[in-house]
Amino acid sequence: MESIELAVNENMAATAFSRQAPVFDNLYGGNTIVSYKRWRVRSHALNYLPEQGSILELNCGTGEDALFFAQNGFKVHGTDLSTGMLQQFAQKTSSHRDKVSFEQCSFTGLGALQNKGPYDMIFSNFGGLNCTGELDKVLASFDDLLKPGGVATLVIISKFCLWETLLVFKGKFKTAFRRFFSSKGRKARVEGEFFKCWYYNPGYVRGKLGEEFELLNIEGLCTIVPPSYIENFAEKHPSLYRCLVKQEDRFKGNWPWKFMGDYYIISVKKRS
């Protein structure tokens, strides 16, 4: 019964993001902090990609990251369950068909992929993997899809966010503590559609991948820089924002900051 409920939840999330797909880039494309996050994630991933390497992208969305990687010489196979997102992906990457392909597939159904690679990297950005309560199932599929020495770079919403917890001082108790009581998932809403999301610590990812994978790096994302949902922070406080970016870039991989962000970036390497 639980597996059926989780599958229904995935389809509800896919429906929500299909509705949002036509306006997704307009909503977030001009957000200064979102742009900073993309730069951070891409810089991190590039450290582990071989020249002209191949990437399997999970929850590829409208194709922003796939387009970036293709323009930098990498081959990308994008996957998403959302029909609307894949329509946007196809349009955005249409001039890079020599580098970019895609298919509709849930990240919990990667065993059914038509293009199984193997790949140099599995890449997932901005908490797409938080839309499943079966992250263990997703991670279990990585071994077959990665080359020996291949890397998985994942951006996951963490179970503790310093900025979010501090909202308690503004009286936003529900938001401040929502990650603390989320073992059975927390309700999210996108374009009028409700679905559940889950939060995961880096230790969970490492534990489920097991000894077949070596930890390469963990970085906190939006630990000192505020989350992008704090609207217009960078525009209202430009000098402070630049200072916070400088400090986060300095401490992003240090304890405790790497465990206190809105997200964390984790990279693991499949042992040869």
Side-chain angles (χ1 to χ4, degrees), residues 51-108:
E51 187 174 350
Q52 299 181 332
S54 59
I55 303 169
L56 173 64
E57 184 177 5
L58 312 182
N59 52 274
C60 61
T62 65
E64 278 291 297
D65 291 314
L67 186 61
F68 168 82
F69 287 121
Q71 290 171 339
N72 283 274
F74 302 100
K75 290 186 177 181
V76 184
H77 187 61
T79 64
D80 206 300
L81 191 58
S82 166
T83 301
M85 285 295 186
L86 286 178
Q87 289 172 348
Q88 298 296 317
F89 183 98
Q91 293 175 19
K92 184 175 292 186
T93 62
S94 60
S95 60
H96 291 79
R97 282 291 161 260
D98 59 325
K99 295 287 187 184
V100 180
S101 57
F102 63 94
E103 64 180 286
Q104 189 170 29
C105 182
S106 166
F107 36 57
T108 57

Side-chain angles (χ1 to χ4, degrees), residues 201-222:
N201 284 328
Y204 178 91
V205 177
R206 294 178 63 187
K208 292 300 179 182
L209 285 170
E211 293 300 319
E212 291 80 10
F213 286 83
E214 169 193 356
L215 177 66
L216 295 176
N217 198 359
I218 299 173
E219 294 180 7
L221 183 60
C222 287

Side-chain angles (χ1 to χ4, degrees), residues 116-168:
K116 288 183 166 57
Y119 298 91
D120 293 298
M121 174 174 281
I122 296 174
F123 176 79
S124 176
N125 204 356
F126 289 169
L129 292 175
N130 292 88
C131 292
T132 180
E134 297 181 293
L135 183 57
D136 56 335
K137 186 176 179 180
V138 182
L139 298 172
S141 66
F142 284 9
D143 189 45
D144 290 336
L145 296 168
L146 280 173
K147 298 176 183 178
V151 172
T153 292
L154 313 174
V155 183
I156 296 176
I157 303 173
S158 62
K159 295 192 77 170
F160 175 75
C161 172
L162 177 61
W163 274 92
E164 194 164 280
T165 304
L166 291 175
L167 290 176
V168 70

Side-chain angles (χ1 to χ4, degrees), residues 170-269:
K170 298 187 73 172
K172 298 182 179 181
F173 299 101
K174 186 175 181 180
T175 301
F177 297 117
R178 63 182 172 182
R179 304 191 194 201
F180 290 86
F181 309 102
S182 59
S183 60
K184 295 183 179 180
R186 299 292 289 182
K187 188 176 290 186
R189 182 184 182 187
V190 173
E191 299 297 325
E193 189 75 31
F194 290 94
F195 57 93
K196 282 186 177 181
C197 62
W198 287 259
Y199 303 103
Y200 299 99
N201 284 328
Y204 178 91
V205 177
R206 294 178 63 187
K208 292 300 179 182
L209 285 170
E211 293 300 319
E212 291 80 10
F213 286 83
E214 169 193 356
L215 177 66
L216 295 176
N217 198 359
I218 299 173
E219 294 180 7
L221 183 60
C222 287
T223 54
I224 300 173
V225 172
S228 52
Y229 59 74
I230 299 181
E231 294 183 1
N232 301 316
F233 181 93
E235 288 72 29
K236 292 178 180 177
H237 313 285
S239 297
L240 176 59
Y241 170 70
R242 288 193 295 270
C243 178
L244 295 179
V245 166
K246 184 177 180 180
Q247 294 305 310
E248 180 157 325
D249 290 347
R250 180 181 178 187
F251 294 111
K252 60 190 177 186
N254 291 3
W255 186 92
W257 301 104
K258 61 183 177 180
F259 300 121
M260 300 173 69
D262 191 25
Y263 304 82
Y264 59 89
I265 313 168
I266 184 170
S267 284
V268 294
K269 179 180 180 181

